């Protein structure tokens, strides 16, 4: 589903290296966490998948398409194959939950008849069918994030990517959010969740790819990789606990 | 694009026109003023053209023939004179006609003129109205070169003055309209930029869900072009209304010699209104589209 082949990303003009020779392979139907500290390069990783940024070198292949060769005007069609969820929800405050989800379908040229069927279905999936006429301000943070999730899945994409989806909601709701993502994954949709929350990741028995300073330093699919790094991280965590 | 999507996008553009009321009001206001001034410049220059033409018609050239020519010679000269092009009308005035005219001026003394019946001292001549005042000098030389023509009198200086006035008015009009066009593009561009800013969240979301660039841009063009067309409607109403009033009351406004000149040369509203309205719409359409395009190019990275 997603293949990174020796990908580097350097931001000009300062020359910040955000990704440094990244190699990885995410298969269709997988649920993957991408874990890393602030500034590790997690968002950059997602931006490359969304083709918001172009790799400086190496190849990014998403759903069989080599993104370095993708023409500008084909980018919208690439994005229609995915759904995105952000930390700050990105809902339109003047539109109801229903309208927010419908908006995503309208602007991609989907007929109204289809929208009227799909939107309630997606809102039902995230448990918000009875609140679909509320404005974002009239919903809790967790509910707003679920609207965002409904918007990401409404067109039945092959891939969902989420950038810190639990960053603005409390831990209890974070777990619910993850369970929803798990349910969506069970429908056969590939899910990639980017987060810096070590705690949250450790509660789920899923594949974890750890990025640090732009490099993949650990991958639970490849136990050999990054053992030293893991030990160092654990040592840090232990120290933290001692201090408290 | 599907019809329902198109309708949706047009609706979005018109919606933001309403949401953005204050800025729409400002840009429609400025654009209307620009169009009104452009319309006034157009009407002014059209009327100067008409005035110049009218004065040209009053300024005939007179081509005098040698009084000693025989009938045969006159008919030869006649064909040469009539072969010259660039002439609106040409009227032959025989010796006898001239005498009659003078008799008419002084009816009481008509008898006195009878003395000249047999020995007419006047010269037969042609009254020539030229098509283009600028060509008067060249034409007068052509007439003078014909054998049998003794003199050509042409009001060259006067025609020169009117031709230069006409030229200045035309060029000043072009420059004026160009400046106004730039102002309008800037104003519409600014309005669209504000809309872009107000809708940056939506635009951002549209990008992520895979809306095409055309889809993202269309509502902004609808907004820009609609502002333009509203302004065109306002400008048409103001300019046509004022011109109608001017035409209607011209009898009271202009007196004396001016009444005659204006009466004869004021271009009737019926002859120009469709040009004005079509011009306003086309101008507003282009400026609205251009303003939007400039703004989108600068501020929308899709
Ligand atoms: N547009 C940009 N221009 C220049 N440098 C950038 C840009 N975006 C990111 N960077 C740099 O690239 C590196 C990785 O950034 P990235 O946003 O991918 O980190 P992140 O892992 O998402 O961090 P966070 O958890 O804080 O969101 C950082 O050093 C950052 O300063
Ligand atoms: Mg980030």
């Amino acid at each position: 589903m997603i293949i990174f082949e020796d990908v580097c990303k350097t931001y000009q003009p300062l020359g910040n290296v955000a990704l440094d020779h990244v190699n990885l392979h995410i298969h269709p139907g997988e649920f993957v966490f991408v874990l890393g500290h602030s500034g590790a390069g997690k968002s950059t990783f997602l931006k490359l998948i969304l083709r918001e940024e172009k790799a400086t070198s190496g190849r990014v292949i998403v759903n069989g398409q080599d993104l370095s060769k993708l023409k500008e005007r084909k980018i919208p069609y690439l994005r229609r194959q995915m759904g995105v969820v952000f930390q700050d929800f990105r809902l339109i405050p003047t539109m109801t939950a229903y309208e927010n989800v419908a908006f995503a379908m309208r602007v991609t040229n989907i007929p109204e008849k289809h929208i009227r069927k799909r939107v309630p279905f997606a809102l039902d999936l995230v448990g918000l069918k009875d609140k679909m006429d509320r404005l974002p301000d009239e919903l809790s943070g967790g509910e707003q994030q679920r609207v965002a999730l409904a918007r990401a899945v409404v067109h039945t994409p092959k891939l969902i990517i989420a950038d810190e989806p639990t960053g603005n909601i409390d831990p209890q709701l974070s777990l619910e959010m993850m369970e929803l993502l798990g349910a969506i994954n069970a429908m056969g949709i590939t899910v990639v969740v980017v987060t810096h929350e070590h705690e949250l990741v450790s509660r789920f028995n899923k594949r974890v790819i750890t990025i640090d300073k732009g490099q993949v330093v650990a991958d639970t699919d490849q136990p050999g990789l990054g053992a030293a790094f893991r030990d160092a991280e654990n040592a840090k965590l232990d120290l933290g606990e001692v201090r408290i | 694009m599907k019809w329902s999507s198109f309708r949706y996008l047009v609706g979005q553009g018109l919606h933001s026109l309403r949401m953005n009321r204050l800025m729409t009001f400002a840009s429609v206001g400025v654009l209307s003023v620009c169009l009104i001034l452009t319309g006034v410049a157009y009407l002014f220059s059209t009327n100067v053209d008409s005035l110049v033409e009218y004065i040209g018609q009053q300024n005939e050239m007179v081509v005098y023939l040698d009084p000693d020519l025989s009938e045969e010679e006159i008919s030869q000269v006649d064909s040469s004179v009539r072969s010259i092009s660039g002439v609106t009308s040409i009227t032959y005035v025989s010796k006898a006609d001239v005498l009659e005219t003078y008799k008419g001026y002084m009816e009481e003394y008509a008898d006195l003129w009878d003395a000249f019946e047999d020995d007419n001292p006047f010269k037969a001549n042609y009254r020539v109205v030229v098509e283009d005042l600028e060509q008067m000098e060249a034409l007068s030389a052509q007439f003078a070169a014909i054998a049998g023509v003794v003199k050509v009198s042409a009001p060259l200086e006067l025609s020169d003055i009117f031709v230069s006035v006409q030229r200045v008015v035309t060029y000043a009009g072009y420059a004026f309209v160009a400046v106004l066009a730039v102002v309008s593009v800037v104003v519409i561009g600014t309005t669209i930029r504000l809309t872009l800013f107000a809708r940056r969240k939506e635009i951002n979301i549209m990008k992520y869900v895979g809306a095409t660039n055309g889809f993202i841009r269309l509502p902004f063009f609808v907004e820009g072009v609609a502002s333009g067309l509203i302004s065109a409607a306002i400008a048409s109403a103001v300019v046509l209304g004022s011109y109608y009033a001017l035409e209607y009351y011209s009898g009271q406004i202009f007196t004396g010699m001016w009444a005659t000149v204006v009466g004869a040369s004021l271009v009737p509203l019926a002859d120009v209104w469709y040009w004005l309205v079509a011009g306003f719409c086309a101008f507003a359409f282009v400026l609205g589209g251009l303003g939007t395009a400039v703004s989108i190019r600068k501020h929308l990275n899709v």
Side-chain angles (χ1 to χ4, degrees):
Chain A
M1 178 53 65
I2 300 171
I3 302 171
F4 273 57
E5 279 177 4
D6 209 27
V7 173
C8 295
K9 174 65 191 176
T10 310
Y11 284 106
Q12 294 308 335
L14 293 176
N16 304 11
V17 178
L19 288 182
D20 188 5
H21 298 281
V22 171
N23 283 288
L24 52 82
H25 199 146
I26 294 172
H27 303 278
E30 261 193 302
F31 189 120
V32 181
F33 284 110
V34 175
L35 182 65
H37 297 296
S38 180
K42 305 184 295 289
S43 296
T44 303
F45 171 72
L46 294 188
K47 282 178 184 162
L48 290 177
I49 296 172
L50 283 162
R51 185 54 177 73
E52 205 180 328
E53 295 284 352
K54 255 179 133 163
T56 312
S57 65
R59 285 210 300 172
V60 178
I61 297 166
V62 175
N63 206 10
Q65 302 148 92
D66 184 342
L67 301 196
S68 60
K69 293 193 187 124
L70 192 72
K71 290 198 182 70
E72 288 284 329
R73 64 189 168 77
K74 296 280 183 197
I75 294 174
Y77 303 96
L78 170 78
R79 292 183 183 161
R80 286 180 200 185
Q81 301 160 21
M82 353 181 161
V84 201
V85 179
F86 295 96
Q87 175 172 1
D88 56 359
F89 319 145
R90 303 203 188 172
L91 300 176
I92 299 163
T94 53
M95 292 184 188
T96 63
Y98 179 94
E99 285 301 322
N100 263 288
V101 178
F103 177 73
M105 303 193 85
R106 268 192 202 119
V107 299
T108 48
N109 231 348
I110 292 169
E112 194 62 38
K113 200 177 72 192
H114 199 59
I115 295 177
R116 276 197 291 270
K117 266 199 306 232
R118 289 295 305 176
V119 176
F121 176 79
L123 284 166
D124 194 25
L125 193 73
V126 298
L128 283 176
K129 200 173 183 183
D130 52 334
K131 292 181 178 167
M132 64 186 192
D133 291 327
R134 296 216 201 158
L135 293 172
D137 277 349
E138 299 162 353
L139 295 169
S140 74
E143 287 168 341
Q144 287 183 49
Q145 190 60 301
R146 273 145 63 195
V147 175
L149 185 59
R151 182 179 63 197
V153 297
V154 71
H155 58 301
T156 46
K158 296 194 175 84
L159 169 69
I160 295 271
I161 56 185
D163 194 359
E164 307 271 5
T166 58
N168 278 331
I169 54 186
D170 64 43
Q172 178 55 39
L173 292 172
S174 298
L175 284 180
E176 279 176 24
M177 189 72 208
M178 285 304 157
E179 270 152 22
L180 269 177
L181 283 168
I184 285 162
N185 177 238
M187 294 160 60
I189 299 173
T190 312
V191 177
V192 177
V193 178
V194 156
T195 181
H196 64 274
E197 291 175 77
H198 203 282
E199 264 298 281
L200 188 72
V201 170
S202 63
R203 284 171 171 262
F204 295 88
N205 185 26
K206 301 285 185 191
R207 178 177 173 194
V208 183
I209 297 170
T210 310
I211 304 185
D212 190 50
K213 299 191 187 81
Q215 292 178 319
V216 174
V217 291
D219 185 342
T220 49
D221 259 15
Q222 295 163 271
L225 184 69
F229 177 82
R230 214 159 34 241
D231 292 346
E233 286 291 295
N234 288 339
K236 258 192 258 171
L237 275 180
D238 290 346
L239 280 176
E241 272 169 16
V242 169
R243 248 185 241 135
I244 294 162
Chain B
M1 187 179 290
K2 292 186 185 65
W3 171 240
S4 70
S5 306
F6 182 76
R7 235 178 26 201
Y8 170 75
L9 293 176
V10 170
Q12 286 298 304
L14 297 179
H15 177 72
S16 91
L17 208 62
R18 269 189 318 247
M19 295 307 289
N20 238 346
R21 229 167 282 134
L22 195 66
M23 202 50 214
T24 303
F25 186 74
S27 80
V28 165
V30 172
L31 192 59
S32 301
V33 170
C34 288
L35 289 175
I36 289 168
L37 293 176
T38 306
V40 169
Y42 166 74
L43 286 173
F44 188 71
S45 102
T46 309
N47 275 291
V48 167
D49 285 352
S50 156
L51 188 68
V52 166
E53 198 184 316
Y54 169 74
I55 289 174
Q57 281 162 4
Q58 307 309 302
N59 283 292
E60 308 166 315
M61 284 197 301
V62 187
V63 177
Y64 293 99
L65 302 187
D66 187 338
D68 299 331
L69 293 179
S70 65
E71 290 295 319
E72 264 164 63
E73 284 167 325
I74 288 181
S75 77
Q76 255 175 20
V77 174
D78 188 75
S79 60
S80 315
V81 165
R82 290 184 193 277
S83 69
I84 290 175
S85 60
V87 166
T88 308
S89 76
I90 189 159
T91 322
Y92 178 67
V93 184
S94 68
K95 286 181 178 187
D97 294 335
V98 181
L99 187 59
E100 282 304 310
T101 315
Y102 279 99
K103 274 187 186 171
Y105 286 157
M106 290 175 254
E107 276 174 46
E108 297 98 291
Y109 305 103
D111 294 349
L112 285 178
W113 293 102
D114 287 343
F116 293 113
E117 282 289 347
D118 294 326
D119 185 18
N120 193 325
F122 297 109
K123 300 186 186 81
N125 58 63
Y126 288 93
R127 310 249 151 190
V128 178
V129 178
V130 301
E131 261 169 23
D132 181 358
L133 271 188
E134 276 189 80
Q135 297 304 317
M136 193 179 252
E137 191 162 4
L139 284 171
S140 87
Q142 283 186 42
F143 283 114
I146 296 171
V149 170
V150 286
K151 188 178 165 228
V152 177
S153 84
L156 289 176
E157 273 154 48
L158 197 65
S159 74
D160 273 355
I161 291 171
F162 279 103
V163 168
S164 9
V165 166
Q166 188 179 25
R167 206 175 288 155
V168 168
V169 167
T170 308
Y171 288 133
Y174 286 149
F176 192 58
V177 170
V179 170
L180 294 178
V182 172
V183 170
S184 307
V185 167
V186 170
V187 169
I188 291 203
T190 310
T191 316
I192 296 300
R193 185 180 156 189
L194 288 184
T195 309
L196 282 170
F197 184 76
R199 298 188 51 195
R200 64 192 183 287
K201 272 193 145 177
E202 282 163 61
I203 294 168
N204 179 278
I205 294 163
M206 287 169 89
K207 281 200 298 199
Y208 283 117
V209 300
T212 54
N213 288 349
F215 221 95
I216 295 177
R217 289 175 184 151
L218 189 73
F220 298 99
F221 279 101
V222 169
E223 186 181 347
V225 168
S227 309
L229 293 180
I230 294 171
S231 311
I234 294 175
S236 300
V238 170
V239 172
L240 298 183
S242 315
Y243 198 75
Y244 178 77
L246 177 75
E247 206 179 7
Y248 193 79
Y249 292 109
S250 67
Q252 278 128 283
I253 300 169
F254 300 102
T255 51
M257 183 191 94
W258 283 108
T260 323
V261 174
V262 170
S265 70
L266 190 69
V267 179
L269 183 59
D271 287 357
V272 287
W273 74 269
Y274 43 89
W275 282 118
L276 265 179
V277 172
F280 280 162
C281 290
F283 203 50
F285 191 87
V286 169
L287 294 181
L290 205 64
T292 309
V294 167
S295 195
I296 280 181
R297 228 191 128 82
K298 257 170 88 174
H299 304 290
L300 183 70
N301 324 304
V302 289

